Structures are given as structure tokens and as C-alpha cells.
Amino acid sequence: MKKFSLTDLLIFIVSAELIGTLSALFAGDFKAFYSEILQPPLSPPAIVFPIVWTVLYALMGISAYLVSSSGKPYSLKVYNLQLAVNFLWSIVFFRYRLLTLSAVLAVVLLILVGFMMMQFCKIRKISAGLNVPYLLWCGFATYLSIAICIIN
């Protein structure tokens, strides 16, 4: 296990946050589209999403740092893959309004996050634990994606 590095930790957190920020920028005006579509039960107000995602990206960055510093960073491949799918989802949903594809991506993301957590758990249990809120949110987002696809 490597020695703790605040710089490396911050790089992982900022990198994850940057992915989220770029995805939001490329997605365009999400509030307008979100207000136009029919909402399924339990849909939160639009302001909830950036708040939740900011926290989740920070937790992802921390967990990835812990795996990276373990000396066994091979599980970061799954982390990077799920981050790429995560990045694409907002663009597909909000910019291109491809509801069916975004629902499929949400399911794929949920599976990848679960797989990532299993891999992380083998290396550092706390890394998997830090992603529990992410997995739960992805489950909720998958419900929203599928429901929005069906009712719109």
C-alpha cells in the first residue's frame, strides 16, 4: 500500500468532478428538458440532481484513490468504464433526448457500478462502501429513466 498523498486524493476527486461537470456542460440545459417531460412518481425537483451528483462524484474519487493507493489499481478499469457510461448518459438523455437509449445506459451503468463495487471490495472494503450511495442513486436513476421512457 502506498503512503497517503493528499495531492493524489485531490486529483482523483477533481477528476471525477470534472467528468461530471463536462457531462453537464455537453448535456445542455437539463432544467428545461426535465420540466417539459412527463414525470414519474417520486421524481425529485431538478435542483436535487447537481447537488447529489457533486457528492457522489467526490465519493467516487475518494474510493478510486483508495483502490489506486492499494497497489492493485487494476480495478480502476471498471471504474473508468462506469465513469464513461455515466458521462454519456446525461448527454444522451438531455442533449439528444434519446429516452430508450438513456434507459439502456442507465441499466448498464447500474450493472457496472455493482461490478465495480465487487471488485473494489476485494481490494478495500471501504472503497466499495463509499459507493453504496452511488449504487442506490443509480438504481433510482434507472427507475426514473425507464419510467420517463415509458410515459413519454
Side-chain angles (χ1 to χ4, degrees):
M1 181 177 283
K2 295 179 186 177
K3 184 179 172 188
F4 174 76
S5 167
L6 181 59
T7 302
D8 289 349
L9 174 61
L10 291 175
I11 288 170
F12 273 93
I13 294 171
V14 170
S15 296
E17 296 288 353
L18 183 60
I19 294 293
T21 301
L22 289 173
S23 178
L25 287 173
F26 292 143
D29 186 7
F30 77 93
K31 289 181 185 179
F33 179 58
Y34 191 71
S35 67
E36 292 171 10
I37 57 176
L38 295 174
Q39 299 294 323
L42 305 176
S43 293
I47 189 63
V48 170
F49 293 99
I51 295 167
V52 169
W53 279 111
T54 299
V55 173
L56 294 177
Y57 283 120
L59 291 173
M60 280 187 255
I62 294 167
S63 71
Y65 165 76
L66 292 172
V67 167
S68 174
S69 67
S70 72
K72 301 176 186 175
Y74 54 85
S75 286
L76 291 181
K77 291 179 183 177
V78 179
Y79 169 80
N80 291 329
L81 180 58
Q82 68 79 29
L83 205 54
V85 172
N86 182 315
F87 173 83
L88 290 173
W89 184 90
S90 296
I91 298 165
V92 168
F93 185 83
F94 292 110
R95 171 148 319 260
Y96 297 110
R97 301 176 181 197
L98 299 171
L99 302 182
T100 302
L101 181 55
S102 66
V104 170
L105 285 175
V107 171
V108 169
L109 180 61
L110 183 62
I111 292 166
L112 286 171
V113 171
F115 184 67
M116 176 190 73
M117 288 175 64
M118 289 189 303
Q119 296 300 310
F120 279 16
C121 192
K122 293 175 187 176
I123 298 168
R124 296 202 60 185
K125 288 188 185 344
I126 192 167
S127 293
L130 287 168
N131 284 288
V132 168
Y134 182 33
L135 181 69
L136 294 173
W137 185 259
C138 284
F140 180 60
T142 299
Y143 152 73
L144 290 175
S145 292
I146 292 170
I148 287 169
C149 178
I150 291 169
I151 65 175
N152 286 279

